[in-house]
Amino acid sequence: MKKTFALIGAAVAVLALSAVSASAQSPIVIKFSHVVANDTPKGKGALKFKELAEKYTNGKVKVEVYPNSQLFKDKEEMDALQLGSVQMLAPSTAKFAPLGAKEFEALDLPWLFKDDATYAKAMKGAVGKYLFSKLEPKGIHGLAYWDNGFHMVSANRPLLNPSDFQGLKVRISGSKIADQYFRGMGAIPQIMAFSEVYQALQTGVVDSCENTPSNYLTQKFDEVQKDITVSYHAHLQYAVIVNSKFWAGLPADIRGQLEKAMDEATDYTNSIAHTENVDALADIKKKGKATLHYLTPEQIVAWKKAMAPTYAWAKGRVGQEVLDVIAKELDIKMN
Ligand code: LMR
């Protein structure tokens, strides 16, 4: 009898010990979900973060990257982050209104950033900080901004003058600012998840879309749109975000290592974004499926004029405060 008790006791002790050592060894898993291909600035950035995070934490953290809307589509991934079923996302800032942070849509104003350098400076400075402060009350913590350059626009006809947009059904990703500037051109914008765009273009559910060269190439939009205008009329950027509770609950040393990994992955992503898009545009041209068009200075003036009312309209959507922060940082007048 005594022997049996001793045996049971020993077995329980072994089980308890192995449970402790398993939990000590099992890594913290970060599920990082995004909607684009691996072969894009964001896709490469996510994989770089995985590599560095696992290296700096010595395997204590495992990052699982799910590209191409494999886990969730646009709006679902926002819900998943708040519910804790994913830990990290990098949505375009055009998709932040469902989080209750409409201020991010100010970044979609047409012809807001005159070049990559102006964009980068604003996001590293006051604009980036201001916008992240809007996420904290929503239980979301902003870690970094990742660049993906400027939007082109396409259809099965050349889009050169505002009148070419008349009645065109344009897919937009979520921002009401984009909705407004396309309406200014006479188009009919429609919000649709990124993973559905190719088929919608192919079947004629929509006639048109906007995106950056790297997204056109990797989603093959150039194969279902005859004419692409290299307009660069608005900017596409991402905010890498985590659930605040999850982030704050990490051991401090691990959080520090992950921050270092994120800083380096961010420098890497932002350093390749421009070249990736230049190369993607060259590839689209080489493929020869779609014809590329460039606007004349007069056409640019006409586009800007047609889209200009968006600036006054934006006040009611995103609020004066964010517009003031941006105007000050960029040294421009908004209205
Ligand atoms: C889109 O939906 O067009 C973009 O947000 C996709 C992306 O994440 O680059």
Side-chain angles (χ1 to χ4, degrees):
M1 193 66 176
K2 246 189 193 166
K3 206 172 162 194
T4 316
F5 274 129
L7 271 177
I8 292 172
V12 168
V14 167
L15 274 177
L17 254 179
S18 62
V20 167
S21 70
S23 79
Q25 277 164 17
S26 61
I28 298 166
V29 175
I30 295 183
K31 289 192 172 141
F32 187 163
S33 164
H34 68 80
V35 300
V36 297
N38 276 329
D39 194 15
T40 57
K42 177 161 64 179
K44 290 185 176 178
L47 292 173
K48 176 61 81 180
F49 173 70
K50 171 184 168 64
E51 175 200 319
L52 296 174
E54 292 178 356
K55 183 168 126 192
Y56 294 151
T57 62
N58 221 347
K60 288 197 194 102
V61 169
K62 186 168 178 286
V63 181
E64 295 174 358
V65 178
Y66 298 93
N68 273 323
S69 312
Q70 248 169 48
L71 274 192
F72 299 107
K73 291 185 195 173
D74 304 15
K75 165 133 173 30
E76 296 161 7
E77 64 175 18
M78 291 297 201
D79 297 338
L81 186 73
Q82 287 183 308
L83 290 170
S85 37
V86 286
Q87 288 69 41
M88 189 173 281
L89 303 175
S92 99
T93 54
K95 296 176 183 171
F96 277 56
L99 290 179
K102 290 180 192 158
E103 292 87 349
F104 278 82
E105 290 185 1
L107 300 174
D108 301 318
L109 281 164
W111 277 287
L112 178 64
F113 300 112
K114 69 174 190 292
D115 51 31
D116 289 318
T118 310
Y119 156 80
K121 185 172 163 284
M123 299 314 285
K124 272 206 168 142
V127 177
K129 281 196 194 76
Y130 172 85
L131 290 173
F132 274 165
S133 76
K134 296 287 154 194
L135 292 179
E136 292 299 336
K138 317 287 174 197
I140 305 285
H141 179 65
L143 290 175
Y145 291 103
W146 287 2
D147 188 2
N148 193 12
F150 289 91
H151 281 299
M152 315 191 290
V153 64
S154 60
N156 286 320
R157 63 184 192 232
L159 301 172
L160 302 175
N161 297 297
S163 56
D164 299 326
F165 283 80
Q166 200 56 46
L168 203 67
K169 283 180 275 165
V170 186
R171 180 268 173 177
I172 55 169
S173 69
S175 169
K176 288 282 185 232
I177 298 288
D179 180 281
Q180 199 61 25
Y181 66 63
F182 278 125
R183 282 185 198 280
M185 302 285 272
I188 307 157
Q190 189 177 323
I191 294 174
M192 182 182 288
F194 187 61
S195 59
E196 290 164 10
V197 180
Y198 175 88
Q199 212 189 351
L201 290 169
Q202 193 183 37
T203 56
V205 169
V206 292
D207 311 308
S208 164
C209 69
E210 64 172 353
N211 233 303
T212 59
S214 57
N215 277 342
Y216 267 86
L217 182 70
T218 52
Q219 299 300 318
K220 301 188 167 63
F221 294 160
D222 61 311
E223 298 181 15
V224 284
Q225 295 274 265
K226 289 200 178 76
D227 295 280
I228 300 175
T229 304
V230 188
S231 49
Y232 294 151
H233 57 278
H235 198 271
L236 177 58
Q237 59 282 315
Y238 310 110
V240 186
I241 53 176
V242 285
N243 184 305
S244 305
K245 247 195 214 147
F246 165 76
W247 199 248
L250 290 171
D253 57 334
I254 297 226
R255 197 168 47 243
Q257 289 152 352
L258 292 178
E259 275 162 0
K260 178 168 142 76
M262 182 53 69
D263 283 351
E264 290 176 26
T266 297
D267 286 346
Y268 165 77
T269 309
N270 292 340
S271 77
I272 63 165
H274 181 74
T275 329
E276 289 280 319
N277 279 300
V278 169
D279 291 351
L281 189 59
D283 284 352
I284 291 169
K285 196 168 180 180
K286 209 161 84 196
K287 270 172 79 182
K289 297 263 185 191
T291 307
L292 298 181
H293 303 277
Y294 292 83
L295 299 174
T296 64
E298 292 76 23
Q299 286 163 342
I300 293 176
V301 169
W303 283 45
K304 286 186 175 174
K305 196 170 162 217
M307 292 184 176
T310 305
Y311 276 75
W313 183 89
K315 215 188 285 185
R317 171 74 180 169
V318 300
Q320 187 62 45
E321 202 176 58
V322 64
L323 298 176
D324 287 345
V325 173
I326 294 176
K328 186 163 174 231
E329 178 74 22
L330 302 186
D331 200 14
I332 54 169
K333 271 184 86 173
M334 280 282 187
N335 302 306

